[in-house]
Amino acid sequence: ENLEGPELLVYIRNQDETEFRNFIVWLEDQKIRHYKIEDRGNLRNIPSSGWPKSFEQYLQDVNCPFTVEERQESVDWLLGLAVRLEYGDNVEKYKNCPPATATEAAKPSDPLIHLDSSNPDFKAGVLGLASLLKIQRHDDYLVMLKAIRILIQERLTPEAIAKASQSKEGLPVALDKHILGFDTGDATLNEAAQILRLLHIEELRDLQTRINEAIVAVQAVIADPKTDHRLGKVGR
């Protein structure tokens, strides 16, 4: 405990390596069973420094086309082999199984809930997106990611881009019905001033709309207890 910095990273890598080796042993013991029980000793010797060599030999013995360096590919291949062997041993059991279908009552859960926010790669990716999209940083990376998702959904989807690119047709305005409030002494300048004032009012309205949208987006992030695990309950 109380590990920090490089020591913590080494500890995590060691834990991952141990879990990986145990997984390979479980596959061989329970599903693949290529070796006789008495021949599995080297593979079962998890702490051994020679385990990678034993794993390399194992891949060759089961005719795996991938090497120990191609870990993800070799694991996928071994899983496929295990499934084929499991099915071959229990054909009658599996051939009559109905295909799995999603029930209508099942509701899709928020995928953000299942993300590991402590993963360094996850943090780096979120920070990169936040910097690219000019989003304020937050100490909770899931909150930042949700803000990124809201921005993308509202501004960067094909529908949002198409809507923003649509030209707006203005309505005719009778300038004589709008009081300028001052007189420049020139009718043309008075008319130009009225137009500028109306355009300024339109800009203020658009700004207010954007402020309201920003407030709603922020409230959607900070008021969701599923996103911030530190919140004990909804509301006060």
Side-chain angles (χ1 to χ4, degrees):
E1 295 183 359
N2 299 324
L3 297 176
E4 296 181 0
E7 292 180 350
L8 179 60
L9 291 177
V10 170
Y11 173 78
I12 293 174
R13 281 197 293 267
N14 288 339
Q15 289 293 101
D16 291 343
E17 179 64 23
T18 300
E19 291 180 1
F20 170 74
R21 294 183 182 187
N22 279 316
F23 171 68
I24 296 299
V25 172
W26 179 85
L27 271 182
E28 168 58 21
D29 281 345
Q30 302 297 324
K31 301 300 176 183
I32 298 177
R33 300 189 292 275
H34 181 78
Y35 288 158
K36 295 179 181 178
I37 294 178
E38 57 270 21
D39 295 334
R40 300 174 190 170
N42 291 335
L43 204 61
R44 287 175 171 175
N45 191 3
I46 302 297
S48 173
S49 60
W51 192 90
K53 280 288 184 184
S54 301
F55 180 49
E56 181 179 18
Q57 183 61 51
Y58 178 69
L59 292 179
Q60 294 175 3
D61 291 343
V62 295
N63 296 319
C64 177
F66 302 105
T67 65
V68 289
E69 288 79 15
E70 300 170 299
R71 176 166 289 193
Q72 184 61 56
E73 292 81 358
S74 61
V75 167
D76 288 343
W77 189 89
L78 289 173
L79 285 171
L81 176 62
V83 170
R84 291 197 301 272
L85 294 173
E86 174 71 15
Y87 180 80
D89 291 342
N90 301 276
V91 175
E92 295 300 321
K93 174 183 176 181
Y94 292 116
K95 73 177 183 179
N96 296 322
C97 289
T101 56
T103 61
E104 292 182 0
K107 296 182 179 179
S109 61
D110 188 342
L112 300 185
I113 297 176
H114 306 292
L115 290 175
D116 180 9
S117 60
S118 63
N119 185 290
D121 292 335
F122 170 80
K123 291 182 177 180
V126 171
L127 284 176
L129 281 173
S131 176
L132 181 65
L133 298 173
K134 309 298 182 186
I135 290 177
Q136 178 67 37
R137 291 193 177 190
H138 191 280
D139 59 353
D140 190 320
Y141 286 82
L142 287 178
V143 171
M144 254 200 300
L145 183 61
K146 188 157 189 178
I148 291 170
R149 182 177 69 177
I150 291 172
L151 175 64
I152 291 175
Q153 287 176 339
E154 302 220 350
R155 299 292 179 84
L156 301 179
T157 59
E159 295 80 7
I161 294 174
K163 183 178 179 180
S165 62
Q166 290 177 354
S167 59
K168 297 180 180 179
E169 295 184 2
L171 296 175
V173 176
L175 293 178
D176 56 346
K177 293 184 179 181
H178 295 271
I179 301 173
L180 180 58
F182 61 89
D183 187 4
T184 65
D186 185 294
T188 303
L189 288 178
N190 285 345
E191 187 173 295
Q194 285 180 303
I195 293 173
L196 289 175
R197 171 169 284 188
L198 291 173
L199 290 175
H200 179 59
I201 292 174
E202 178 64 23
E203 289 179 349
L204 289 178
R205 288 174 177 170
D206 184 61
L207 176 61
Q208 183 62 54
T209 300
R210 292 176 182 271
I211 291 173
N212 292 340
E213 291 176 350
I215 292 173
V216 171
V218 171
Q219 289 175 340
V221 172
I222 64 176
D224 187 354
K226 293 181 181 179
T227 299
D228 191 346
H229 56 81
R230 294 169 300 180
L231 294 178
K233 58 183 179 180
V234 178
R236 293 178 293 177

